[in-house]
């Protein structure tokens, strides 16, 4: 933009200077040329200052949290790999009830007491280790056969493809949450993407390649939400 502005300025200046020929090198021609240059320079400075104001710092990332299993307790991290779908391994597992409705802390606040630990095994596959009060340790893996059956999973207005994590995970969550028929689904990167372009709420502002956003929240907003839900911040 700066180079374009200077190019435009130079072009106008040359046009103004060319007027010297038609004005027979009069003083009036010189004044016109200089006035044009000054006007364009002032305009350029104002545009530059305005652009700088738009780029001013408005927030600072203070913490990063990863939620491999959606709505379980987050993992505080210092760095993360960003992909086209958001942070890698973030919300790749989701818990559904017996009616295929996804579960969150808003409806099941005890999910906040399920701690998560993310590890990468020797094969480079992600393993999530879950612990909760009075419950045995549960391990969820990202390693599945390419031929395994996949199921359509809907989270809010986004529809993706998930892989059932099996009966052990189902029984674990059903017991802890006291909700019969819970199922846990893993949504790997090679499955059908969760596209936002067709979303009923955000489709008009999403690009065709947009799939999943990164959740950004301020500490103040988190406290407001927590208090409104009856949780002490």
């Amino acid at each position: 933009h700066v180079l374009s502005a200077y190019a435009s300025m130079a072009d106008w200046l040359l046009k103004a200077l060319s007027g010297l020929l038609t004005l027979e090198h009069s003083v009036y021609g010189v004044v016109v040329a200089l006035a044009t240059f000054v006007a364009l320079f002032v305009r350029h400075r104002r545009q530059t200052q305005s652009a700088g104001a738009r780029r001013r710092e408005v927030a600072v990332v203070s913490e990063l949290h990863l939620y491999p299993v959606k709505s379980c307790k987050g993992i505080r991290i210092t760095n993360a790999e960003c992909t086209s779908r958001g942070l890698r391994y973030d919300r790749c597992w989701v818990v559904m009830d017996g009616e295929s409705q996804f579960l969150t802390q808003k409806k099941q606040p005890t999910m906040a007491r399920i701690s998560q630990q993310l590890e990468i095994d020797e094969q480079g596959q992600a393993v999530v280790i879950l612990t909760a009060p009075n419950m045995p340790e549960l391990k969820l893996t990202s390693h599945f056969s390419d031929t395994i059956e996949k199921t359509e999973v809907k989270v809010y207005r986004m529809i993706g493809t998930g892989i059932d994590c099996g009966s052990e995970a189902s029984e674990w969550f059903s017991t802890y949450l006291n909700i019969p028929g819970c199922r846990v689904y893993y949504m790997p990167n090679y499955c059908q993407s969760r596209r936002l372009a067709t979303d009923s709420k955000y489709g008009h502002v999403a690009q065709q390649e947009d799939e999943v956003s990164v959740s950004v929240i301020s500490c103040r907003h988190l406290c407001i939400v927590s208090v409104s839900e009856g949780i002490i911040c």
Side-chain angles (χ1 to χ4, degrees):
H1 296 299
V2 174
L3 292 177
S4 177
Y6 275 120
S8 178
M9 184 186 300
D11 181 62
W12 278 95
L13 182 58
L14 288 174
K15 289 180 179 179
L17 290 174
S18 66
L20 295 177
L21 298 177
T22 60
L23 295 173
E24 299 180 351
H25 303 281
S26 65
V27 175
Y28 176 75
V30 175
V31 172
V32 170
L34 292 177
T36 302
F37 175 79
V38 171
L40 290 173
F41 178 75
V42 171
R43 176 185 176 188
H44 169 66
R45 287 292 300 273
R46 288 178 177 176
Q47 290 178 338
T48 302
Q49 292 173 353
S50 176
R54 291 196 299 269
R55 294 193 297 269
R56 70 182 186 276
E57 182 181 280
V58 295
V60 176
V61 177
S62 58
E63 294 182 6
L64 286 175
H65 292 263
L66 198 66
Y67 299 84
V69 180
K70 179 177 173 59
S71 289
C72 291
K73 185 178 180 179
I75 304 172
R76 187 172 182 177
I77 56 178
T78 57
N79 57 77
E81 179 183 354
C82 291
T83 72
S84 61
R85 292 181 173 87
L87 302 184
R88 185 172 295 281
Y89 303 123
D90 185 54
R91 291 170 291 181
C92 285
W93 288 264
V94 61
V95 184
M96 316 287 285
D97 63 17
E99 299 179 354
S100 298
Q101 299 295 315
F102 68 95
L103 301 177
T104 66
Q105 290 185 24
K106 185 173 183 179
K107 294 182 178 179
Q108 302 295 329
T110 55
M111 292 184 73
R113 303 183 69 186
I114 302 177
S115 297
Q116 308 187 69
Q117 181 180 346
L118 178 66
E119 297 181 352
I120 305 299
D121 63 19
E122 296 178 353
Q123 287 74 39
Q125 302 295 329
V127 177
V128 180
I129 303 173
L130 301 177
T131 57
N134 304 316
M135 293 294 295
E137 182 179 274
L138 174 67
K139 291 185 178 182
L140 301 175
T141 179
S142 64
H143 180 65
F144 295 93
S145 170
D146 291 338
T147 59
I148 195 169
E149 183 179 355
K150 302 174 181 66
T151 304
E152 184 177 271
V153 177
K154 183 177 181 180
V155 178
Y156 291 112
R157 294 172 305 280
M158 295 182 291
I159 299 176
T161 306
I163 298 175
D164 195 316
C165 293
S167 59
E168 181 182 0
S170 173
E171 293 173 3
W172 195 94
F173 276 94
S174 295
T175 300
Y176 177 71
L177 299 176
N178 194 27
I179 300 177
C182 286
R183 306 300 300 182
V184 182
Y185 292 95
Y186 171 63
M187 294 180 287
N189 292 334
Y190 62 79
C191 282
Q192 176 185 341
S193 60
R194 296 171 287 177
R195 306 191 69 84
L196 295 179
T198 57
D199 183 81
S200 60
K201 185 175 182 180
Y202 300 108
H204 67 289
V205 295
Q207 301 295 319
Q208 284 298 321
E209 63 273 14
D210 291 344
E211 295 178 340
V212 170
S213 62
V214 177
S215 295
V216 180
I217 188 169
S218 69
C219 294
R220 179 176 179 273
H221 181 263
L222 184 60
C223 288
I224 292 174
V225 173
S226 298
V227 171
S228 67
E229 295 299 329
I231 302 173
I232 298 177
C233 182

